[in-house]
Structure formats: structure tokens, C-alpha cells
Amino acid sequence: MDRDYLKEKRILLVDDEQELLDMVCSILKEEGYQNLCTASCMKEAMEKAAVFSPELAVLDVMLPDGSGFELFEKLKQMGDFPVLFLTACGEDEDKFRGLGLGADDYMVKPFLPRELILRIGAILRRSYKNEEPQVKLADSVVDFSRAEVRRGSQTIPLTAKEFALLSALYRNAGRIVTIDALCEAAWGDNPFGYENSLMAHIRRIREKIEAEPSHPKSLLTVKGLGYRLLVEGR
């Protein structure tokens, strides 16, 4: 089962070391996580969490205006989402206290980037294992967990590029996604020169999700700007 949809989860990162925040953001973005929000203290974390609505929080235990444990308890009042604590080397008491409060995992600093990726992936899989993101369109249903489209009695697989493009459109459902943004979603940090390829992929996506691809109801062209995905109920 394709689990790429987990990389769309909103992750809040809280640490007073800007260098570490920059490093973690870079690591996660390279791995495909894009919905990231950072804070350097409790006050900033609470303000941003109120708007960002995180689905996973990575909290340093030592913060300039309090502790990660205090922040954990405040964040839990806002929503039930998993938490990973970052603790200083050798501070076993922090580890036990964090797990005792209900944290999902902990890591000792300094840590290997790959270990962080594996820990975050494992937490998300455990926490959202029953979530099956099925998106209803006018003529079809997109099942992101299986990377496939169901239209009538047909089940149609999505290619990796089609999946990436539909994911970007769904994250911004109802809003215009520019041509440049879609090219970057499918072809990475150097998206220039892929406009014709993008048009071809959009055409193939429409053939899968639309009953009448030449008269689309769900994936609309916004001339000169990009495309917009209309999702039922949103």
C-alpha cells in the first residue's frame, strides 16, 4: 500500500537551536515532507499551532520560556496528535517523563538524520493507520492510499507523476495551483522546461478521473495561471 499521503501531514518542529531546525526541515523536505512549521519557544509554538493545527509535533525538552513537557500538555488541549520528544544525551529522566506523559517516541540529541526520518515515518504509520484518504470528485473517487482512481466499475492505477500532481492539487483543493508549482511537485527543484510534459500528464489524469475529459468537471484549467481541482464537499 502506498503511504505517500502521510508525507502531507502537518508537522510542528519546536527547538531553540535555529541551526537544528534548519537541518531538520531540510532533511524532511528532501524526504518529501512539505507541510512544516517551526517555532523556537513555547509562546511561538502555541501561537503557530493554533493556526497550523499540527498532526505531529517534534518537541525539544529544553526551551527558553519553559519545558517541552509543559508545551506537550498545552498542545494536547488543542488536539490529539502524536508527539516525538528530543532529549539531551544521557537525560534518562526526561525520556521516562516524556513517555509517562503519553509521548509517542523520543530521540537523544545528537541524532542521525536517517533515524529521525524512520522514527517520524513509524509514528505517522501507527497514528494514522486507519486513515484511508479517498477523495470524491464529480465522476470518480481518488484513493491516495492505493494510488488509484475508481470510476464506475473501473479501477485505474495512477503513475508516480500523476500521483504527485494530484496530491499537489488536492492539498490546494479549490485553489489555483500554478504551472510552476505543479512542475516542481512532479519534477523537483529544477522544474523549468516541463510545461509540455505537464500538459500531457494533466490530459492523462483527466482521462482517468473525468467521464468526459474534454469537458472536465473536476480538474479545471485556469488560463495562463495553472489548474484547479474541485473536490466534492469542499
Side-chain angles (χ1 to χ4, degrees):
M1 180 180 291
D2 197 316
R3 286 284 177 181
D4 276 1
Y5 75 93
L6 292 174
K7 293 181 179 177
E8 299 174 20
K9 295 298 181 185
R10 297 180 297 277
I11 302 177
L12 174 66
L13 307 165
V14 186
D15 198 294
D16 62 343
E17 296 180 48
Q18 189 60 47
E19 187 176 342
L20 185 139
L21 282 178
D22 291 343
M23 180 194 75
V24 171
C25 281
S26 177
I27 292 167
L28 290 173
K29 284 180 179 179
E30 283 181 15
E31 195 67 19
Y33 295 93
Q34 298 298 324
N35 293 330
L36 308 177
C37 180
T38 64
S40 59
C41 63
M42 277 184 60
K43 182 176 182 294
E44 184 183 12
M46 290 300 297
E47 290 172 351
K48 289 189 173 181
V51 177
F52 185 62
S53 299
E55 294 168 284
L56 168 68
V58 180
L59 310 179
D60 186 21
V61 169
M62 299 297 294
L63 295 171
D65 56 348
S67 75
F69 304 129
E70 293 174 75
L71 178 57
F72 173 91
E73 293 178 324
K74 290 178 181 293
L75 288 172
K76 281 295 185 178
Q77 294 172 16
M78 300 174 65
D80 186 20
F81 50 84
V83 171
L84 166 65
F85 273 118
L86 301 178
T87 67
C89 183
E91 297 294 332
D92 287 340
E93 191 59 39
D94 285 349
K95 174 181 71 176
F96 297 136
R97 183 177 175 187
L99 293 175
L101 285 172
D104 295 82
D105 204 350
Y106 71 94
M107 285 187 66
V108 175
K109 295 193 291 185
F111 49 79
L112 295 173
R114 190 65 195 160
E115 182 183 4
L116 176 65
I117 293 296
L118 292 173
R119 294 286 186 98
I120 286 177
I123 291 172
L124 290 174
R125 284 193 298 275
R126 287 197 306 268
S127 301
Y128 299 102
K129 62 184 177 181
N130 295 322
E131 186 177 278
E132 298 294 342
Q134 298 184 8
V135 179
K136 192 174 188 319
L137 306 179
D139 300 315
S140 61
V141 173
V142 180
D143 188 338
F144 283 103
S145 69
R146 298 179 181 276
E148 64 187 24
V149 174
R150 294 194 300 276
R151 196 180 76 236
S153 60
Q154 291 181 290
T155 299
I156 311 162
L158 293 167
T159 67
K161 289 286 189 291
E162 291 165 355
F163 182 93
L165 291 169
L166 271 174
S167 294
L169 287 160
Y170 173 59
R171 284 196 298 271
N172 298 278
R175 300 193 295 269
I176 297 170
V177 184
T178 65
I179 291 169
D180 287 347
L182 287 170
C183 287
E184 185 174 344
W187 289 281
D189 293 334
N190 187 21
F192 303 107
Y194 288 101
E195 289 85 354
N196 289 336
S197 294
L198 173 63
M199 290 174 62
H201 280 86
I202 292 292
R203 185 170 61 251
R204 286 195 287 272
I205 289 172
R206 281 179 172 149
E207 289 170 354
K208 295 181 179 183
I209 68 172
E210 306 279 5
E212 296 183 66
S214 58
H215 297 91
K217 297 178 184 176
S218 298
L219 181 47
L220 308 181
T221 300
V222 183
K223 194 170 182 180
L225 293 175
Y227 299 90
R228 190 156 58 103
L229 185 70
L230 301 183
V231 174
E232 297 288 295
R234 287 184 61 172

